Amino acid sequence: MSLFFLMPIYVMIITSLKPIDEVSLTQMWALPSTVSFEAYAFAFERLAPNFLNTIYLVVPATILSALFGSLNGYVLSKWKFKGSDWIFTAILFGMFIPYQSILIPMIQFLQTVGLYNTIPGLILVHVVYGIPITTLIFRNFYASVPVDLIEAARIDGAGFLSIYLKIIFPLSISGFVVVCIWQFTNIWNEFLFAVTITSTGSQPIMVALQNLSGSQIVQWNVQMAGALLAALPTLLVYIFVGKYFVRGLLAGSVKG
């Protein structure tokens, strides 16, 4: 089953290593007669500026959405107030709002505040849209933190921020790993917001990857090389920190 699942990856890799004259449906499964890295060089040259745009987008958007989700989860799990459950429900409702339904008002808002066609505007959108899922994960994660620990800190004179910074935040490392991997992957691979909010000069890598297809002839070896380059960062994240993602899940970050 794993080999069957990896068959498209095999086709992508061997196609990306072929010169253009060997790329065809009849030779799709055949190994290249000569290994060529020209497609990777061309794809990297075209995608490099957009790769940096994505880095400028993903890093702050991931960190901010994780921090806001952590604070929301902390408040809604340990500092409950009248109506907090309704507020939590309203926040979760944001997870089920389709992207397409808010595109027009979102673009109008970004144009009004001067953030349309900018990386900061795209960061704002991803942070706002990421808050519901990050809040859910952290709220459920903090639910496993003993209330007695919070009460003991309050008796000792610790306030809202002191408890968060000295007790909750140090206990949240595995939760932050889960949220950051989740958000990093989603934001890196997102296409709809990127293609509607940004244009040439500020487009993330997924939009630039689409533009590699050209208008007349599709260079499939370049397309495959570009797709592999675009997917490499998320692949490396799961290879090197994937075990911490699983540990974070098992630690209770998505348990009710």
Side-chain angles (χ1 to χ4, degrees), residues 9-24:
I9 307 298
Y10 165 78
V11 174
M12 289 179 66
I13 293 174
I14 64 171
T15 301
S16 67
L17 296 174
K18 291 178 180 179
I20 187 61
D21 57 345
E22 293 186 24
V23 178
S24 66

Side-chain angles (χ1 to χ4, degrees), residues 138-152:
F138 276 112
R139 180 183 181 273
N140 291 339
F141 186 87
Y142 293 149
S144 62
V145 177
V147 178
D148 294 342
L149 190 63
I150 308 298
E151 293 297 330

Side-chain angles (χ1 to χ4, degrees), residues 97-113 116 125 129 192-193 196-197:
I97 300 176
Y99 288 1
Q100 297 85 348
S101 66
I102 52 90
L103 277 180
I104 294 177
M106 179 187 68
I107 291 173
Q108 291 175 336
F109 170 77
L110 292 176
Q111 289 174 334
T112 301
V113 298
Y116 181 71
V125 170
Y129 236 97
L192 181 60
F193 287 153
T196 54
I197 294 175

Side-chain angles (χ1 to χ4, degrees), residues 192-242:
L192 181 60
F193 287 153
V195 77
T196 54
I197 294 175
T198 60
S199 60
T200 305
S202 57
Q203 291 175 334
I205 194 169
M206 288 302 163
V207 180
L209 181 62
Q210 171 64 25
N211 296 337
L212 274 181
S213 60
S215 58
Q216 300 295 330
I217 300 175
V218 178
Q219 295 177 293
W220 289 110
N221 55 340
V222 175
Q223 282 284 90
M224 297 303 179
L228 289 170
L229 289 174
L232 187 60
T234 52
L235 180 62
L236 292 176
V237 165
Y238 276 100
I239 289 176
F240 290 106
V241 297

Side-chain angles (χ1 to χ4, degrees), residues 73-74 76-78 80 136-147 168 251-253 255-256:
Y74 169 52
L76 294 172
S77 63
K78 299 304 179 187
K80 288 191 174 184
L136 172 65
I137 293 175
F138 276 112
R139 180 183 181 273
N140 291 339
F141 186 87
Y142 293 149
S144 62
V145 177
V147 178
I168 298 298
S253 58
K255 294 180 181 177

